Amino acid sequence: KRADLTSPIYGGNKVRKLERILPEAKERGKKRIVTVGAVGSHHVLATAIFGARAGLRVEAAVVPQPRTEHVVENLRADLAVGATVRPARTYVGAGVSVLLHAGRDALVVPMGGSNVTGSLGYVDAAFELAKQIEEGALPEPDTIVVTLGSGGTAAGLAAGLALAGLKTIVVGVVVAAPVWFVTGWTRRLVRATYAAAGGRDPSALRGRLRVVTTELGKGYGEPTEDGRRALEIAAEAGLKLDLTYTAKCFAGALKYVQNAPSEQVLYWHTLSSVPLAPLLENAPPVPAGLERLLRS
Ligand SMILES: *Cc1c(COP(=O)(O)O)cnc(C)c1O
């Protein structure tokens, strides 16, 4: 499922979350979005791009992450579209920064856009999938394999599949740490999103989300050997992956298919495939305070 094609401006899985979050900000009369992420966060970049287009100022507190070319490009693109990016050393520090800069005119959005509002964007996605199944575009999958970072995508899908009356379950491949926190947050988000979307039968959620923790390696943004191999296999099929999210997920998906050869498995692709080059032409230099967050 090509969530890389969610927008011709900048794709990936954050677009659907913002389709819910930005209208909420406007309806509530907010002028700014204040959020957090890693220094090369796709969520921060997507919010910076689409927030600016919606007439909102975007501010983000960002934390260190291993340096890759992709991470540096995302940061430069944040700056190119006019986002205010504030360095923090830890997520606790980032939280303090967010509290300091929040205010009545600001909507505070958590990491990855993974609150109930953002996850409702993936309830929408599950209903889109149900329609595609009905139209015969694909058989009803037994399983969707998707990357699990901050959890909103997997949670929204799990809730949405239950609401749409599909049998499909979600396998979330964890790429962020600590695993206990990510898993707990995501499971709570499944229930809260289901209820917010009008779900009345929580038993429809039983077994709906399985969490796979074998692909994380040394942690968020740290590449793994299996991920590198999965990236090469996908490249042969014309699918471009990244080492932080989708390569780890695809590695998990390949193993899942091997262990369950009779299942219909849908890989849900979450990485934007829109080139950033046009944006980067006008990017200012990266200030030293942010440069220091790129760990080599
Ligand atoms: C943010 C992101 C994810 C993780 O989605 P969550 O909703 O945060 O779990 C997966 N893949 C890519 C490419 C992302 O940018």
Side-chain angles (χ1 to χ4, degrees):
K1 176 73 167 158
R2 300 282 305 270
D4 60 319
L5 302 176
T6 42
S7 162
I9 299 160
Y10 180 68
N13 66 333
K14 304 308 181 300
V15 173
R16 285 185 195 271
K17 298 180 185 188
L18 290 165
E19 278 173 353
R20 290 289 197 142
I21 291 169
L22 296 177
E24 181 187 280
K26 298 294 274 189
E27 271 160 37
R28 291 172 58 187
K30 306 295 187 185
K31 302 279 180 270
R32 296 183 295 135
I33 301 241
V34 178
T35 192
V36 299
V39 64
S41 164
H42 295 140
H43 158 67
V44 170
L45 178 54
T47 307
I49 291 172
F50 293 105
R53 295 175 77 94
L56 295 158
R57 281 209 53 80
V58 175
E59 305 172 14
V62 299
V63 302
Q65 171 174 15
R67 174 194 288 270
T68 66
E69 202 179 317
H70 181 68
V71 162
V72 176
E73 281 188 359
N74 289 345
L75 172 61
R76 292 180 59 222
D78 292 340
L79 301 172
V81 297
T84 301
V85 184
R86 302 188 177 104
R89 288 225 304 270
T90 63
Y91 269 111
V92 174
V96 172
S97 167
V98 167
L99 289 177
L100 279 175
H101 293 96
R104 288 166 57 95
D105 65 334
L107 181 71
V108 173
V109 175
M111 213 189 318
S114 287
N115 55 14
V116 167
T117 306
S119 299
L120 285 170
Y122 270 84
V123 171
D124 300 337
F127 276 89
E128 180 184 282
L129 182 73
K131 187 156 166 278
Q132 289 177 307
I133 293 166
E134 206 180 291
E135 291 167 354
L138 75 164
E140 183 173 357
D142 297 295
T143 306
I144 290 172
V145 181
V146 70
T147 314
L148 199 161
S150 60
T153 305
L157 281 176
L161 293 165
L163 288 156
L166 297 179
K167 68 174 180 186
T168 313
I169 68 150
V170 177
V171 168
V173 180
V174 174
V175 301
V179 168
W180 64 268
F181 176 78
V182 170
T183 306
W185 176 268
T186 306
R187 292 206 178 282
R188 287 180 59 161
L189 207 45
V190 174
R191 293 190 292 270
T193 304
Y194 179 77
R200 297 270 167 72
D201 174 19
S203 74
L205 298 176
R206 210 168 295 144
R208 196 58 81 159
L209 174 66
R210 270 197 254 156
V211 172
V212 167
T213 59
T214 51
E215 306 306 318
L216 176 62
K218 293 205 181 88
Y220 176 79
E222 306 278 359
T224 58
E225 266 321 299
D226 286 0
R228 288 188 203 280
R229 210 169 308 126
L231 183 138
E232 280 169 23
I233 292 168
E236 280 168 29
L239 183 66
K240 193 164 175 273
L241 305 181
D242 74 298
L243 290 167
T244 298
Y245 293 101
T246 51
K248 289 180 177 178
C249 177
F250 204 69
L254 292 173
K255 289 176 200 172
Y256 188 91
V257 171
Q258 251 171 8
N259 292 329
S262 62
E263 281 195 27
Q264 295 279 352
V265 179
L266 176 65
Y267 165 66
W268 197 292
H269 186 51
T270 49
L271 178 70
S272 175
S273 55
V274 180
L276 288 178
L279 263 184
L280 295 176
E281 277 171 22
N282 318 315
V286 174
L290 289 168
E291 184 67 40
R292 275 195 289 277
L293 300 188
L294 300 162
R295 291 198 309 260
S296 32

